[in-house]
Amino acid sequence: MRIAIVGAGVAGAIMARGLAQLPGLDVTCLERVAPDDQAEAGTGLNIGPNAVGALSRVDAELANAITAAALPWDTWRVTLTDGTELMNIRMRDVAPSAGWRLRWSELYRVLRQGADGLIRYGADITDMGPTGDGSGRTFLRWTDATGAHALDDIDLLIGVDGRFSKVRQRFAGDAKARQVGVAIFRTLLADTSEGVINDYEQWFNRDNRLLGFRVPPDHIYISGTFPISVGGDITDAHKAREALREAYTPSDGTLSEQGQWLVEAVCNPTTNLHWARLQESEVRIFEPDSDVLYLGDSSHGMVPTLGQGATQAIEGSCTALMVIRDLVAAGNFDPREWLGAVSDARAARIRFVMNFSLEASDTLLAGSDPVAGTLKKTEPAFQSKLKQLYHDFDATWPLQGQERAAQ
Ligand SMILES: Cc1cc2nc3c(=O)[nH]c(=O)nc-3n(C[C@H](O)[C@H](O)[C@H](O)COP(=O)(O)OP(=O)(O)OC[C@H]3O[C@@H](n4cnc5c(N)ncnc54)[C@H](O)[C@@H]3O)c2cc1C
């Protein structure tokens, strides 16, 4: 059975490694960038315990390799920028394990090393589509440093080429995006905080929020948000360093030691800020007429509030691998059935994660009260959803080995 994977990012590298270990599958994975080019990945990631749990169950060796490159995400603290504490969650109280904190480029390095020899780098896709014979099969054309290449009669095409997915655009048109009305900037800096910034924290001044944490080897990741009009642009006036200083400084000027370090770091003119708007896109798991599967950002762009983007790319890939492993073990090599089974396992879960991420963004919206909004997150209703988020990563996995035999 011929499988082609477009994109060797978070989901693509995990899928390439996992599928190549199964019998009867011929796996080709195409990646646009060169092997050591992680230019798009100059940032830090906090990855939820649900991804740690899912990957540990599906591929413990790969999970251990990420753990070795990461720091544990043990706590989630929320304060005002003047230092007033609003919430301090220990991850072990809401999750089966800690999460991970690491640089995005490190995650790519570890995952791509895990798929060593399976990825064709520097691939520029020139054409793709259905074979046109009604079989559901697809084809790919691409060029790389060695020339032009073709792959015909692909039984399963996995489009994991990120949030601007060419595969999804080719088979389903542009994904509709929904703007939330929040601007976000991100930066990765050398750690000069001398221990002031460590595990995952958020700091509010009115509806403006900073977020930061330390990542190996010696860096601090900072992200900041503030409201803008829904669908509006982020203007130069929004980006001006003095406007940012004003946004995160309390009206009486009293910043905590952490607040002071963060505001100075963000407002330093040499700090390179990367800008985006919070948005989510419609979910699409597979194509109805062609055997094409989407995972990660190509399937579901989500707001980053709960750190579930890469987390869901990992969790979703693990679910897909469990489903496919189970079907292969039962001798089922029908890609239509694989797609239906992955969709059954993922659809409700991803809807829950996206809705919950949006719900948790309430304190980022214009005019929101961070004190009332954060205190609500300490109440049983929110805490119970958080436990569901972090624990239920395998609730819909197919039955395994002995469990299946016992049925
Ligand atoms: C600044 C920033 C901070 C973030 N912080 C967090 C966080 O803290 N926690 C979290 O969980 N998530 C976070 N995310 C989201 C997370 O990074 C993404 O959700 C995750 O990388 C999605 O994984 P993916 O495999 O779907 O796509 P990607 O990791 O984006 O991988 C897509 C791959 O496809 C390749 N590609 C693209 N087009 C083509 C093509 N035409 N042909 C071949 N290859 C192609 C790309 O080069 C890339 O390697 C953040 C995102 C950003 C931008």
Side-chain angles (χ1 to χ4, degrees):
M1 181 169 180
R2 181 170 288 173
I3 301 185
I5 301 173
V6 177
V10 178
I14 293 174
M15 290 304 290
R17 174 181 161 95
L19 291 174
Q21 290 167 0
L22 298 181
L25 307 184
D26 170 19
V27 180
T28 302
C29 180
L30 303 179
E31 167 55 49
R32 185 179 54 187
V33 303
D36 47 5
D37 180 356
Q38 280 117 11
E40 292 174 39
T43 182
L45 299 173
N46 57 303
I47 297 190
N50 43 320
V52 180
L55 195 59
S56 302
R57 287 274 299 274
V58 169
D59 191 336
E61 189 184 333
L62 195 56
N64 288 339
I66 300 177
T67 300
L71 284 168
W73 173 16
D74 281 321
T75 56
W76 172 4
R77 186 166 176 260
V78 183
T79 64
L80 298 176
T81 52
D82 70 5
T84 309
E85 185 174 288
L86 303 176
M87 184 174 101
N88 197 349
I89 293 178
R90 292 182 309 180
M91 294 305 267
R92 67 171 180 269
D93 292 337
V94 289
S97 73
W100 286 312
R101 289 180 273 146
L102 79 170
R103 285 186 299 167
W104 195 353
S105 53
E106 273 297 285
L107 181 64
Y108 273 178
R109 184 188 60 76
V110 172
L111 294 179
R112 287 174 180 166
Q113 263 177 14
D116 197 25
L118 298 167
I119 303 169
R120 297 186 184 202
Y121 291 96
D124 180 14
I125 292 175
T126 51
D127 197 9
M128 68 179 122
T131 48
D133 57 2
S135 65
R137 291 200 191 94
T138 54
F139 74 88
L140 275 173
R141 305 272 179 272
W142 75 96
T143 57
D144 62 20
T146 63
H149 306 274
L151 205 57
D152 291 310
D153 294 325
I154 299 165
D155 296 295
L156 179 66
L157 177 61
I158 305 181
V160 273
D161 47 342
R163 62 189 284 224
F164 304 110
S165 169
K166 287 254 166 52
V167 178
R168 180 164 168 175
Q169 192 187 39
R170 168 65 185 84
F171 285 90
D174 287 327
K176 261 193 231 136
R178 178 174 172 268
Q179 295 292 332
V180 177
V182 174
I184 184 164
F185 64 79
R186 285 130 160 167
T187 189
L188 189 67
L189 302 165
D191 182 7
T192 58
S193 80
E194 296 181 346
V196 166
I197 309 296
N198 194 355
D199 208 342
Y200 180 88
E201 292 197 42
Q202 299 170 345
W203 299 265
F204 281 93
N205 182 47
R206 306 186 304 274
D207 45 19
N208 309 310
R209 190 200 71 182
L210 291 168
L211 174 159
F213 50 89
R214 196 159 71 83
V215 291
D218 207 6
H219 291 79
I220 302 282
Y221 171 65
I222 306 174
S223 158
T225 66
F226 53 82
I228 53 172
S229 60
V230 177
D233 290 330
I234 310 169
T235 63
D236 287 345
H238 286 128
K239 295 179 185 174
R241 303 295 156 133
E242 280 321 301
L244 296 177
R245 185 181 295 281
E246 200 276 324
Y248 300 108
T249 305
S251 49
D252 67 359
T254 324
L255 280 164
S256 66
E257 190 183 11
Q258 290 183 313
Q260 184 80 40
W261 188 86
L262 289 161
V263 168
E264 290 310 323
V266 164
C267 296
N268 185 327
T270 63
T271 301
N272 205 0
L273 303 179
H274 300 273
W275 291 89
R277 294 177 299 175
L278 249 60
Q279 64 180 54
E280 58 168 29
S281 60
E282 306 176 278
V283 178
R284 194 169 184 92
I285 298 177
F286 70 106
E287 288 302 327
D289 301 320
S290 296
D291 293 332
V292 179
L293 172 67
Y294 304 110
L295 293 163
D297 282 3
S298 65
S299 173
H300 42 68
M302 68 180 73
V303 294
T305 314
L306 290 172
Q308 286 289 314
T311 305
Q312 283 303 312
I314 295 172
E315 185 192 303
S317 302
C318 290
T319 300
L321 283 174
M322 292 304 296
V323 168
I324 293 170
R325 270 184 200 174
D326 218 42
L327 288 166
V328 166
N332 185 333
F333 287 84
D334 180 345
R336 265 297 91 185
E337 292 202 22
W338 291 15
L339 292 172
V342 173
S343 178
D344 287 349
R346 281 296 288 164
R349 171 72 175 166
I350 196 62
R351 184 42 56 210
F352 162 75
V353 174
M354 288 177 73
N355 288 345
F356 189 32
S357 296
L358 207 53
E359 177 189 332
S361 309
D362 58 339
T363 41
L364 309 183
L365 304 180
S368 63
D369 175 354
V371 178
T374 304
L375 291 181
K376 219 171 128 199
K377 293 186 172 68
T378 64
E379 289 171 2
F382 188 91
Q383 294 281 310
S384 139
K385 278 193 188 169
L386 206 52
K387 287 180 186 160
Q388 189 182 340
L389 176 71
Y390 292 148
H391 281 270
D392 285 5
F393 55 84
D394 60 357
T396 51
W397 285 3
L399 297 179
Q400 291 296 295
Q402 287 182 332
E403 290 164 293
R404 195 176 53 239
Q407 280 220 323

